[in-house]
């Protein structure tokens, strides 16, 4: 399966997917409109169609039906953000190969493409499962934060900083739940009855970032036919959450610094200063203290923002929390579908707990939602329901023929061959560096010249406590 048609409402997404799949030796065509995609399909046949569910000129269901009329043999994978799972179930029952939640995970995407190419066509049993009436459904679960020592430490900090008016920086890997923590801080504050406005700074274009954040006056630029209130005005009296703040252009950083210091904003094209009472919570997956003072992030803005800093641990740093999140997302998916909660068999559950979760809680949520759709006739999630990157995780790293200890970790002490000798040397070197930096894993990764995620994988495989 080599010829892929990407249909996404964002040109940037089309370009990213085209570059990524082209590197994987696929021939890729792109479009941002469903109707244009249908015209392309009439002129040429594609092996796979990767389509956004919510297109500007049609919906996923309508688009799928039209594609079936033109090219019934084409495989289709749909993607989207916060799409109703009932619609996904309907499409899978009609013959769609898969559904992937956005933001996309590269490994999950490749797994789905390979499965579609191998002719894998999952039949969800959900159509035969009785729908629960709203009154019979379980009570909506409350937010799950985890029971591990690190999770409890984070919540203690939230309880401490929440009632204050401090600006907060939340640092952590992608998918660790930074926005959920920001909402929790807001709920603990005196501003809890005010608005909470979340802004993804990574999606703000350089040209329109100022307008989106601070608003604009009518006629301020081409296309500004109306006066617009920005996110800061919308958040007045409440909290504004600036996700991926390191992506803000430098000129916007200057305006943001003024808003923090003077508590006033000025609309694009305006002359009047508008007072705003807003608490700022910023989030980043980068180390702002290291990035500040460079050409990409202002040092004075960093020092103004970091009245309080929360470092969110990755999921692999608190594996004891994984079962709680699995149960939470099973419950959440059950309520969304209006169906009984699926169960996870022992084999699948062990795989979920062993996996490295580079995408953290967000990736786990997407996997549980997807796997629920493919549960068997008894509503049980088995190994075959999981993405191949998870079901084949351990064997894909060093090979399934490697010896393991009683916990399932790689043994590095039983053989004298070249590979085992190399593993022993690697284990010894990692331990030396960890002891030298007092078990600071970020510093250890820098000394070893590897990514921090890679270090955690090696710690687990070499049976080194992390």
């Amino acid at each position: 399966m080599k010829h892929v048609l990407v249909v996404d409402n964002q040109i940037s997404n089309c370009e990213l997917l085209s570059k990524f799949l082209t590197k994987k030796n696929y021939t890729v065509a792109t479009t941002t409109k469903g109707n244009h995609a249908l015209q392309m399909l009439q002129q040429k046949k594609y092996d796979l169609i990767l389509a956004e569910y919510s297109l500007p000129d049609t919906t996923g269901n309508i688009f799928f039906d039209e594609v079936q009329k033109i090219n019934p043999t084409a495989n289709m994978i749909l993607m989207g953000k916060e799409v109703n799972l009932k619609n996904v179930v309907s499409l899978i029952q009609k013959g769609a190969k898969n559904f992937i939640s956005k933001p996309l995970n590269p490994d999950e995407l490749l797994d789905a493409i390979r499965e579609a190419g191998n002719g894998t066509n999952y039949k969800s049993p959900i159509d035969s499962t009785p729908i629960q009436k709203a009154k019979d459904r379980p009570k909506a679960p409350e937010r799950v934060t985890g029971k591990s020592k690190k999770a409890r430490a984070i919540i203690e900090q939230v309880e401490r900083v929440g009632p204050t008016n401090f600006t907060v920086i939340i640092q952590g890997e992608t998918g660790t739940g930074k926005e959920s923590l920001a909402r929790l801080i807001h709920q603990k504050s005196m501003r809890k009855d005010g608005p909470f406005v979340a802004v993804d700074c990574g999606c703000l274009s350089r040209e329109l970032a100022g307008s989106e954040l601070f608003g604009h006056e009518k006629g301020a630029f081409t296309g500004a036919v109306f006066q617009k209130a920005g996110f800061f005005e919308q958040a007045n009296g409440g909290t504004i959450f600036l996700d991926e703040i390191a992506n803000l252009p430098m000129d916007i950083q200057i305006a943001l610094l003024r808003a923090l210091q003077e508590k006033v904003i000025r609309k694009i094209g305006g002359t009047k200063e508008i007072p705003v009472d807003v608490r700022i919570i910023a989030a980043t997956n980068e180390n702002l203290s290291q990035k500040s003072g460079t050409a990409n992030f202002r040092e004075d803005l960093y020092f103004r923002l970091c009245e309080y800093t929360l470092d969110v641990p990755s999921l692999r740093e608190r594996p004891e929390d994984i079962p709680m999140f699995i149960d939470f997302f099973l419950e959440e998916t059950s309520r969304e579908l209006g169906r009984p909660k699926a169960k996870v068999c022992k084999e699948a559950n062990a795989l979920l707990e062993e996996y490295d979760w580079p995408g953290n809680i967000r990736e786990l949520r997407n996997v549980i939602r997807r796997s629920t759709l493919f549960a068997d006739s008894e509503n049980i999630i088995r190994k075959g329901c999981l993405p191949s990157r998870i079901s084949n995780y351990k064997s894909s790293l060093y090979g399934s023929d490697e010896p393991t200890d009683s916990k399932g970790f790689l043994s590095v002490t039983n053989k004298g061959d070249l590979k085992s000798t190399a593993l022993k040397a690697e284990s010894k070197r990692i331990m030396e560096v960890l002891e030298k930096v007092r078990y600071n894993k970020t510093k250890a990764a820098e000394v070893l010249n590897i990514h921090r995620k890679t270090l955690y994988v090696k710690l687990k495989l070499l049976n080194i406590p992390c």
Side-chain angles (χ1 to χ4, degrees):
M1 185 166 58
K2 289 294 182 182
H3 299 283
V4 180
L5 174 60
V6 175
V7 191
D8 194 288
N9 49 18
Q10 297 290 331
I11 295 176
S12 57
N13 288 342
C14 288
E15 291 175 348
L16 286 172
L17 285 170
S18 178
K19 290 179 182 178
F20 175 70
L21 293 175
T22 299
K23 289 181 179 179
K24 301 297 179 180
N25 298 319
Y26 292 96
T27 302
V28 185
T30 65
T31 179
T32 58
K33 298 290 181 64
N35 289 332
H36 184 226
L38 296 175
Q39 294 174 9
M40 295 171 70
L41 285 167
Q42 289 173 340
Q43 298 171 4
K44 178 182 177 180
K45 291 202 172 185
Y46 293 87
D47 303 311
L48 174 72
I49 302 165
L50 185 62
E52 163 67 40
Y53 180 85
S54 302
L55 292 167
D57 54 349
T58 186
T59 65
N61 293 77
I62 296 173
F63 180 68
F64 180 84
D65 291 340
E66 293 299 318
V67 170
Q68 291 295 295
K69 295 176 184 177
I70 299 172
N71 185 3
T73 61
N75 296 302
M76 185 181 295
I77 297 173
L78 288 124
M79 52 189 179
K81 184 177 182 181
E82 301 299 331
V83 177
N84 190 312
L85 274 186
K86 292 181 181 179
N87 294 332
V88 176
V89 172
S90 173
L91 286 166
I92 289 178
Q93 290 170 353
K94 286 181 179 181
K97 293 295 182 180
N98 213 325
F99 176 85
I100 307 176
S101 298
K102 286 185 173 181
L104 299 178
N105 178 295
D107 292 331
E108 183 179 0
L109 175 61
L110 289 177
D111 282 345
I113 292 174
R114 293 189 191 105
E115 289 168 358
N118 292 332
T120 306
N121 191 10
Y122 293 96
K123 174 65 176 173
S124 172
I126 291 177
D127 58 326
S128 61
T129 308
I131 298 177
Q132 289 180 308
K133 295 181 181 179
K135 64 179 181 179
D136 298 327
R137 295 176 194 169
K139 184 180 178 181
E142 297 178 357
R143 178 186 288 104
V144 171
T145 54
K147 61 181 180 180
S148 66
K149 183 177 180 180
K150 291 186 176 182
R152 293 197 305 269
I154 284 291
I155 297 305
E156 288 174 4
Q157 292 185 69
V158 168
E159 295 283 353
R160 185 181 302 118
V161 76
T164 73
N165 206 33
F166 288 5
T167 57
V168 180
I169 295 177
I170 304 177
Q171 294 184 155
E173 294 179 12
T174 298
T176 47
K178 296 187 288 293
E179 183 173 340
S180 294
L181 279 177
R183 291 183 181 276
L184 188 56
I185 291 171
H186 173 71
Q187 291 170 8
K188 299 289 183 182
S189 73
M190 299 295 290
R191 299 170 177 268
K192 62 183 179 180
D193 295 325
F196 178 91
V197 178
V199 183
D200 186 349
C201 298
C203 293
L204 297 178
S205 67
R206 180 177 297 274
E207 295 76 16
L208 296 178
S211 170
E212 294 293 329
L213 288 172
F214 308 116
H216 64 250
E217 298 290 350
K218 180 179 178 180
F221 50 84
T222 304
V225 294
F226 301 104
Q227 185 189 66
K228 177 182 177 179
F231 291 131
F232 267 83
E233 280 188 273
Q234 295 172 32
N236 196 29
T239 303
I240 187 167
F241 173 61
L242 301 176
D243 196 11
E244 303 306 340
I245 192 170
N247 292 319
L248 281 179
M250 191 63 73
D251 56 333
I252 302 302
Q253 292 181 33
I254 296 172
L256 178 59
L257 180 61
R258 176 171 172 76
L260 273 163
Q261 292 178 334
E262 307 298 333
K263 299 190 180 300
V264 294
I265 61 168
R266 182 177 295 173
K267 291 185 177 183
I268 304 299
T271 57
K272 180 182 176 182
E273 290 188 336
I274 303 171
V276 288
D277 175 24
V278 176
R279 182 184 192 176
I280 293 180
I281 301 177
T284 177
N285 59 12
E286 303 181 52
N287 190 322
L288 277 188
S289 64
Q290 294 179 0
K291 191 170 183 178
S292 65
T294 67
N296 296 318
F297 202 83
R298 292 181 62 92
E299 188 175 40
D300 49 2
L301 177 58
Y302 168 72
F303 287 126
R304 185 62 184 83
L305 286 169
C306 69
E307 289 184 325
Y308 199 96
T309 301
L310 276 173
D311 289 305
V312 187
S314 64
L315 193 55
R316 76 184 69 82
E317 293 178 80
R318 45 179 181 142
E320 58 268 48
D321 291 334
I322 292 178
M324 292 184 66
F325 282 113
I326 291 174
D327 189 69
F328 177 81
F329 294 136
L330 285 171
E331 189 72 67
E332 179 187 66
T333 306
S334 165
R335 291 189 58 80
E336 186 173 346
L337 290 171
R339 311 283 180 174
K341 185 169 74 173
K343 298 179 181 179
V344 184
C345 75
K346 289 184 178 180
E347 183 182 21
N349 193 71
L351 289 167
L352 291 171
E353 293 189 11
E354 290 174 2
Y355 181 60
D356 190 49
W357 298 112
N360 292 292
I361 298 170
R362 180 187 293 135
E363 183 184 10
L364 175 58
R365 179 177 184 266
N366 290 344
V367 166
I368 294 300
R369 286 163 64 84
R370 172 195 183 277
S371 300
T372 299
L373 296 180
F374 302 142
D376 65 14
S377 57
E378 297 178 350
N379 202 25
I380 296 176
I381 296 173
R382 302 192 185 277
K383 178 180 177 180
C385 304
L386 303 176
S388 61
R389 71 180 185 280
I390 296 176
S391 58
N392 300 327
Y393 170 64
K394 194 180 297 183
S395 62
S396 69
L397 291 168
Y398 280 101
S400 58
D401 60 338
E402 292 298 327
T404 58
D405 64 12
S406 60
K407 295 182 180 180
F409 293 117
L410 215 64
S411 171
V412 297
T413 60
N414 298 330
K415 286 187 178 182
D417 58 22
L418 185 61
K419 182 178 285 188
S420 293
T421 302
L423 290 174
K424 289 179 185 178
E426 185 175 46
S427 176
K428 181 180 179 181
R429 176 57 179 159
I430 290 174
M431 285 304 301
E432 288 175 351
V433 173
L434 283 171
E435 291 173 359
K436 185 176 180 180
V437 299
R438 298 183 179 180
Y439 291 87
N440 184 315
K441 298 179 183 66
T442 300
K443 289 183 179 179
E446 292 175 358
V447 173
L448 293 166
N449 196 27
I450 59 175
H451 195 281
R452 188 173 60 176
K453 294 180 182 179
T454 305
L455 175 60
Y456 280 109
V457 172
K458 290 182 179 295
L459 290 174
K460 188 171 184 179
L461 286 168
L462 296 170
N463 199 22
I464 298 173
C466 58

